[in-house]
Amino acid sequence: MFFIFQKSSAQPRILMDINFDFAKPMGNFKGYRPAIGYSPLNESYGINFGLGFSANFKYALGKEKKSRLVSGLTIHRFLTSSYSKDPYASNYNTDVFIFSFSAGFEYSVRPSKTVNPYFGLGVSLNTINASSYWDTISVSGKTSLRGGILGDAGVDIKVNKSGGIIIGAKVHYANLIGKTSDPSTLSSKEVPPNDAAYSYNGKNY
């Protein structure tokens, strides 16, 4: 879930908004990571929260300009400061970076009014990189490509003729397509997200 506070700059048909957001990872924000000794551990990355920055470009269609084509670029960094479930380390940290390119459609309910609700749907192409640190041991992330879908809704509040503020929320499934897992990477110090189910030494993860 992304809570978005945006500063927008607009022309009659072409719009651009700059977003700063706080992101809350959802329940399926998971990926398998090696434990100390690099044996598999059936745990998620333990992400607590994220921060993001993005820019969206919109092109309004038709006379009423209610329908919009939207494309955007986004970077998010997800963090955790301590992971109490890990019995092998007193201090565990993970950084996850997600770079996204998205394209989609947006419907603006009242584009000529001061308060204008909107909602949209889109698809995304994402690169995911996760790195983990246990005390003095580190495992670097291997960048992986994923496909996703997203939906958002909010309210566009006009401040003047050239700009306004948008408050909204977005749900983004960034790793919906292309999940993979390679158990052989669990013995290395360069580990991909490993976000698909897999078997290792006769056990399913």
Side-chain angles (χ1 to χ4, degrees):
M1 180 71 72
F2 300 84
F3 297 96
I4 308 169
F5 301 89
Q6 308 176 351
K7 174 65 177 177
S8 62
S9 174
Q11 296 178 14
R13 193 168 296 276
I14 300 173
L15 303 93
M16 181 185 74
D17 59 60
I18 304 298
N19 313 310
F20 301 93
D21 61 67
F22 300 94
K24 177 65 177 176
M26 296 185 292
N28 63 351
F29 195 104
K30 293 181 178 179
Y32 297 109
R33 56 181 176 81
I36 294 297
Y38 311 112
S39 60
L41 185 64
N42 188 14
E43 293 284 358
S44 73
Y45 281 103
I47 299 300
N48 292 328
F49 69 97
L51 300 172
F53 172 83
S54 62
N56 294 310
F57 302 89
K58 305 177 182 182
Y59 182 80
L61 304 173
K63 271 189 174 182
E64 295 183 346
K65 303 184 180 70
K66 288 186 175 183
S67 300
R68 298 171 177 172
L69 300 177
V70 183
S71 63
L73 295 171
T74 305
I75 177 173
H76 277 98
R77 183 185 185 189
F78 293 90
L79 301 164
T80 184
S81 57
S82 63
Y83 195 57
S84 59
K85 291 183 180 180
D86 192 334
Y88 300 97
S90 59
N91 184 25
Y92 171 76
N93 294 275
T94 289
D95 280 350
V96 178
F97 286 91
I98 301 179
F99 297 87
S100 304
F101 170 77
S102 61
F105 173 85
E106 183 177 282
Y107 184 79
S108 178
V109 179
R110 303 191 307 169
S112 62
K113 303 298 182 180
T114 301
V115 179
N116 174 33
Y118 71 91
F119 58 90
L121 293 171
V123 295
S124 64
L125 187 64
N126 314 282
T127 61
I128 300 175
N129 183 289
S131 299
S132 297
Y133 309 88
W134 299 265
D135 298 329
T136 59
I137 298 175
S138 65
V139 176
S140 61
K142 190 174 184 179
T143 300
S144 299
L145 189 66
R146 298 289 187 270
I149 60 173
L150 54 90
D152 67 332
V155 178
D156 187 346
I157 304 171
K158 291 183 180 179
V159 176
N160 52 45
K161 290 183 179 180
S162 62
I165 297 173
I166 300 175
I167 301 175
K170 178 188 294 182
V171 177
H172 186 191
Y173 293 90
N175 66 336
L176 189 65
I177 301 171
K179 292 181 181 181
T180 60
S181 288
D182 182 3
S184 67
T185 64
L186 295 173
S187 61
S188 71
K189 285 193 174 185
E190 187 179 22
V191 183
N194 283 336
D195 47 6
Y198 64 92
S199 297
Y200 186 76
N201 287 343
K203 294 184 179 180
N204 295 323
Y205 295 92

